[in-house]
Amino acid sequence: MTAHEPVNILMVDDQPAKLLSYDVILNELGENLIKANSGNEALSLLLTTDVAVLLVDVCMPDLDGFQLVDMIRQHPRFEKIAIIFVSAVQLTDIDRIRGYTSGAVDYVSVPFVADILRAKVRIFVDLYRKTKQLEQVALDLERRVEERTKELEASTKRLQDSEERLRQALSAGRMGTWQRNFTTGMATRDGNLNCVLGLPQEETVQRVEDYLAYVHPDDRQSVADGWHQATQTKDRYEAEFRIVRADGKTRWLQEQGQFARDPATSDDFLTGLALDITDRKRAEERQELLIHELNHRVRNILTMVQSIATQSLNGANSGESAAFISRLHALAACQNLLTQNHWDGAHLRDILNTTFAPHKKDAARIDISGDDRIVTSRDAISISLAVHELATNAVKYGALANDIGKISVSWHFEPSAPSSRLHFDWREADGPPVVIPTQQGFGSRLLKSLAGQSGAGFVTEFPVSGFQCKLTLPLEATQ
């Protein structure tokens, strides 16, 4: 109901003249005025019409006002109708008490003052209208509460389902959640993490230090240091360590967390996930064992090849035999370097130092400069063999063939698509007089072969100042 919507006022009297007078007096209110000439007619109207105020004459022939009000109040629908008795007969106090007891809100005696009657009716009309508006507000509020309750129930159900899916996913992945409050010194673990620890699958709260009891003794200090560092730097925390379960079994955990501060309490804490990585660690150990076995066998094969080569070349040209054996040694040295890095590649500077290792007595005459970088195993072997040939030729004919010659090795990397390129510069100076070769040696053939296999390019020059070689090598992308 709106603030300006008219309401119904029912006027009951057996005298038409009095009804007319009510109509004239109350017409100014702007409400719907309904007339009834008897109590029975009033009852009929009430059954089909909502009424805000009821004006009832006390003395009527069929049903007097008291009887009519008694009947009206017996119906729950009419409990809140404001009833005003109007009487031209002088009533006793007993009659008034009877009227109030039956539910009347006021009495008006004839003759009455029109303004007073109109004011009284207006009060009860306004009260009725506001009551209706409040009822409507209450209904709207109840409807909204019901809708909101349904939304919250649905949202709660979705959240519960999501949490259950997360719990199942964490459990399937052998992961658990944790939080460590370093201000209060208390730590929380979910059921999944406790299950990994061999404990009942339920959330627990205990002191932060108590968790260290499950960490392997050899790893406790590093774990505690990781917590301290993360809280000091207010940054991420990550660690891999062993735990000793409640049943005595040892397993590996990986923890990842993030520092946070509770804005309400200013507590500092770490929160994150713990993952059981035992299977991964065992796989890595098996892989490490296989790699060591493979590397051992490769070294044995290279040793066997060297032995066979030595026996096969027995009696051959000693220079050619030594050159072949030295190349095998260079290949083996590069292989050893790659083995140390699990064949994930090697630093360029380490490759050069390894290749120049047989020439340690001339180290002061070899200058190496350039930004270091990891190259793949394929590129490491190519560079190692190429530098070995250049160094071998320098010992035979170039800067290392006397006591004053020098070698300058420099390089830089050029970014380009789809991979970067290595620009390698070899320069010799102060060696014996440069002699331009009349035929192509093994070193030149090797560089040409590398160029054909990987798209590399090389240029050799023989100025008076000393031999020079420029090598451009497209590099494989490292992982």
Side-chain angles (χ1 to χ4, degrees), residues 143-159:
R143 176 181 55 79
R144 292 179 183 178
V145 169
E146 183 178 359
E147 292 175 353
R148 184 57 178 161
T149 300
K150 290 181 180 179
E151 291 176 359
L152 288 174
E153 289 176 350
S155 178
T156 301
K157 182 65 167 56
R158 290 193 298 269
L159 180 60

Side-chain angles (χ1 to χ4, degrees), residues 71-178:
M71 296 179 67
I72 291 173
R73 290 306 190 200
Q74 291 178 14
H75 198 294
R77 178 182 167 190
F78 309 131
E79 288 180 350
K80 297 181 181 180
I81 295 178
I83 300 174
I84 300 175
F85 281 124
V86 181
S87 178
V89 178
Q90 186 66 33
L91 299 176
T92 65
D93 290 339
I94 294 176
D95 292 329
R96 294 179 184 277
I97 292 173
R98 179 186 174 189
Y100 283 124
T101 303
S102 65
V105 295
D106 207 347
Y107 274 97
V108 176
S109 299
V110 178
F112 49 75
V113 179
D115 290 340
I116 293 177
L117 178 62
R118 191 162 43 245
K120 289 184 176 183
V121 172
R122 179 183 290 112
I123 289 173
F124 293 114
V125 165
D126 290 344
L127 180 61
Y128 174 84
R129 182 176 284 113
K130 290 177 181 178
T131 300
K132 287 295 183 181
Q133 291 174 349
L134 286 174
E135 289 177 352
Q136 185 61 46
V137 169
L139 288 174
D140 290 343
L141 180 60
E142 184 177 353
R143 176 181 55 79
R144 292 179 183 178
V145 169
E146 183 178 359
E147 292 175 353
R148 184 57 178 161
T149 300
K150 290 181 180 179
E151 291 176 359
L152 288 174
E153 289 176 350
S155 178
T156 301
K157 182 65 167 56
R158 290 193 298 269
L159 180 60
Q160 290 174 343
D161 293 343
S162 176
E163 289 179 346
E164 179 61 20
R165 289 194 298 270
L166 176 60
R167 187 194 67 79
Q168 293 176 358
L170 291 175
S171 179
R174 287 182 294 184
M175 291 186 290
T177 62
W178 51 265

Side-chain angles (χ1 to χ4, degrees), residues 63 221 244 260 306 309 330 347 364 414:
L63 289 172
Q221 189 58 50
V244 180
Q306 291 174 4
H347 287 273
E414 175 193 1

Side-chain angles (χ1 to χ4, degrees), residues 361-380:
K361 65 181 182 65
D362 300 316
R365 297 193 286 157
I366 302 174
D367 179 64
I368 299 175
S369 63
D371 295 332
D372 199 8
R373 174 175 167 177
I374 294 178
V375 296
T376 64
S377 57
R378 186 206 72 175
D379 292 334

Side-chain angles (χ1 to χ4, degrees), residues 260-275:
R261 173 167 290 173
D262 189 333
T265 63
S266 297
D267 289 354
D268 292 341
F269 58 90
L270 290 175
T271 183
L273 285 172
L275 171 64

Side-chain angles (χ1 to χ4, degrees), residues 214-227:
Y214 298 102
V215 179
H216 193 281
D218 295 342
D219 298 339
R220 286 175 188 166
Q221 189 58 50
S222 63
V223 170
D225 291 344
W227 295 352

Side-chain angles (χ1 to χ4, degrees), residues 18-55:
K18 290 175 66 177
L19 289 176
L20 181 60
S21 65
Y22 298 156
D23 190 296
V24 172
I25 293 171
L26 301 178
N27 189 55
E28 294 182 11
L29 298 177
E31 310 296 347
N32 295 328
L33 302 178
I34 304 173
K35 303 180 184 67
N37 295 309
S38 66
N40 289 327
E41 184 180 354
L43 287 174
S44 299
L45 288 169
L46 285 171
L47 292 174
T48 58
T49 308
D50 290 329
V51 174
V53 180
L54 177 63
L55 273 69

